[in-house]
């Protein structure tokens, strides 16, 4: 509120629990359950998609693969997502961060927020508009990091880099990065040095600087 954090909280549940649910429900390796969630996970079924199915590995000693259809997958994912948002709603109510402050919007981040139907379920259970939070294109990050999975990480780096005083910015060693790219990493007004030679890259130096402080 007015640029000041009002409350923070944690619930003991996340995307990893959805992966575990899928692995247990279909008796499949956890890494394959994660892949199925990321590539095809949904809590709702669009018209015409009822017959969609995939061949996946199984832990059964009697067969190497199995067929999983979209309705069966959604039946596993939907209850866990619903439970997650109900716990978020309860946390917000107890913190007084909803009606008390006129909260009307919610931003979802993290890999599991990309599951089909997550936004719609959040709006229904939390009673407010919801959207996915994606990181802004900044500090020369590759396109692969532009999704909600990287929103928190990118936001923290951008926030810290934007608020650093010039005296706090570390020296950066040379690497196949231009000064323009380095400015994106540290902020346009940052003071930095890029030596002609060196073994550590700019991102390595920045990573070390952040690790020391966090």
């Amino acid at each position: 509120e007015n640029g000041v954090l009002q409350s923070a909280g944690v619930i003991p549940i996340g995307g990893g629990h959805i992966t575990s649910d899928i692995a247990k429900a279909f008796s499949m390796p956890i890494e394959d359950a994660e892949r199925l969630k990321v590539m095809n996970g949904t809590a709702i079924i669009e018209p015409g998609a009822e017959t969609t199915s995939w061949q996946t590995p199984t832990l059964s000693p009697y067969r190497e693969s199995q067929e999983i259809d979209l309705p069966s997958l959604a039946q596993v994912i939907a209850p866990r997502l619903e439970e997650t948002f109900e716990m978020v709603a309860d946390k917000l109510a107890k913190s007084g961060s909803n009606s008390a402050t006129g909260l009307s919007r919610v931003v979802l981040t993290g890999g599991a927020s990309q599951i089909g139907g997550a936004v719609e379920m959040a709006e229904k259970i939390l009673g407010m508009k919801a959207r996915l939070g994606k990181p802004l294109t900044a500090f020369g990050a590759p396109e692969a990091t532009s999704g909600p999975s990287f929103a928190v990480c990118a936001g923290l780096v951008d926030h810290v880099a934007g608020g650093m005083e010039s005296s706090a910015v570390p020296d950066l060693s040379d690497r196949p990065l231009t000064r323009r790219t380095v400015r994106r990493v540290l902020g346009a007004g940052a003071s930095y040095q890029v030596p002609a030679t060196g073994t550590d890259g700019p991102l390595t130096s920045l990573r070390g600087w952040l690790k020391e402080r966090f």
Side-chain angles (χ1 to χ4, degrees):
E1 184 177 7
N2 296 322
V4 180
L5 179 66
Q6 297 299 303
S7 66
V10 178
I11 59 172
I13 192 171
H17 291 80
I18 296 177
T19 300
S20 180
D21 290 344
I22 295 174
K24 292 178 181 178
F26 301 110
S27 186
M28 60 191 304
I30 194 73
E31 59 271 17
D32 293 298
E34 174 69 14
R35 187 178 300 109
L36 183 62
K37 180 191 74 174
V38 171
M39 301 299 296
N40 306 293
T42 185
I44 60 175
I45 303 174
E46 299 292 340
E50 296 88 351
T51 59
T52 303
S53 62
W54 312 272
Q55 287 292 325
T56 67
T58 175
L59 294 175
S60 171
Y62 305 107
R63 52 179 177 168
E64 294 183 355
S65 64
Q66 62 184 324
E67 184 175 3
I68 298 176
D69 57 43
L70 187 60
S72 298
L73 181 61
Q75 288 177 3
V76 174
I77 293 177
R80 182 66 81 171
L81 265 186
E82 184 176 2
E83 177 190 19
T84 301
F85 289 124
E86 286 177 346
M87 294 177 72
V88 171
D90 182 63
K91 179 73 69 172
L92 286 172
K94 291 180 178 178
S95 69
S97 299
N98 45 10
S99 59
T101 58
L103 187 64
S104 61
R105 292 179 296 175
V106 61
V107 179
L108 307 182
T109 66
S113 68
Q114 300 174 90
I115 291 176
V119 171
E120 293 81 355
M121 188 174 291
E123 291 182 337
K124 178 181 178 181
I125 296 178
L126 301 179
M128 62 185 80
K129 296 295 294 183
R131 68 175 177 83
L132 292 182
K134 299 181 180 180
L136 299 176
T137 303
F139 50 80
E143 185 65 25
T145 63
S146 62
S149 299
F150 297 89
V152 173
C153 178
L156 288 172
V157 172
D158 184 64
H159 175 73
V160 172
M164 287 191 299
E165 298 180 0
S166 59
S167 60
V169 180
D171 291 345
L172 300 178
S173 302
D174 192 20
R175 207 65 166 177
L177 292 177
T178 64
R179 287 179 178 274
R180 182 179 180 183
T181 301
V182 175
R183 286 195 185 93
R184 291 177 183 172
V185 178
L186 300 179
S191 174
Y192 58 89
Q193 298 177 8
V194 182
T197 60
T199 57
D200 295 327
L203 296 182
T204 301
S205 299
L206 179 59
R207 187 185 303 113
W209 184 89
L210 291 172
K211 186 175 181 180
E212 289 178 1
R213 288 157 178 77
F214 296 95

